[in-house]
């Protein structure tokens, strides 16, 4: 599985690179704090797979990297080849860039 670090994600954001960010946490988690990705909870990821880009990199994130890794594995079964798991999830982002970000 391909992964990106939070540092690589921030660089892509700062450079305005063309990619899609998918947050697979539950809606209430997303509402607590998010990185402005599209919220598609893990339970519905296969049902909503049509919302996921196939023509550019897609970074999948969750709280710690475990659910997003599961999402990447499920989507790769459908033939996606452009997916990257965010290593460490939003917890790693908080630690590296935003210590005041509320996470649970």
């Amino acid at each position: 599985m391909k992964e990106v670090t939070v540092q690589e994600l921030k660089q892509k954001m700062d450079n305005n690179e063309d990619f899609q960010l998918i947050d697979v946490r539950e809606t209430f988690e997303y509402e607590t704090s998010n990185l402005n990705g599209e919220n598609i909870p893990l339970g519905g990821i296969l049902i909503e797979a049509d919302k996921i880009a196939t023509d550019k990199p897609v970074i999948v994130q969750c709280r710690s990297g475990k659910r997003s890794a599961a999402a990447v594995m499920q989507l790769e079964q459908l033939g996606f080849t452009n997916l990257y798991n965010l290593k460490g999830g939003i917890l790693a982002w908080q630690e590296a860039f935003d210590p005041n970000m509320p996470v649970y």
Side-chain angles (χ1 to χ4, degrees):
M1 176 180 314
K2 297 175 287 193
E3 290 191 312
V4 296
T5 65
V6 291
Q7 290 80 7
E8 290 168 324
L9 173 60
K10 184 168 188 327
Q11 188 173 20
K12 288 178 181 299
M13 291 174 161
D14 291 347
N15 293 339
N16 291 316
E17 290 184 33
D18 187 22
F19 69 95
Q20 184 179 25
L21 180 63
I22 303 289
D23 189 325
V24 296
R25 296 174 303 148
E26 296 300 318
T27 304
F28 75 91
E29 296 173 282
Y30 182 84
E31 289 170 353
T32 299
S33 59
N34 65 74
L35 303 177
N36 297 318
E38 185 170 351
N39 186 215
I40 305 175
L42 179 60
I45 199 76
L46 296 179
I47 296 165
E48 300 195 62
D50 60 330
K51 293 182 177 178
I52 299 169
T54 57
D55 59 344
K56 59 186 168 187
V58 176
I59 299 171
V60 185
Q61 63 114 159
C62 65
R63 178 175 179 267
S64 67
K66 290 182 175 66
R67 279 180 281 176
S68 50
V72 168
M73 286 191 284
Q74 290 179 33
L75 291 166
E76 283 178 343
Q77 296 295 313
L78 296 179
F80 283 88
T81 59
N82 58 326
L83 306 174
Y84 298 84
N85 184 39
L86 181 62
K87 190 174 183 177
I90 202 164
L91 291 176
W93 182 276
Q94 178 201 37
E95 185 177 323
F97 303 114
D98 191 356
N100 297 320
M101 176 183 275
V103 290
Y104 40 90

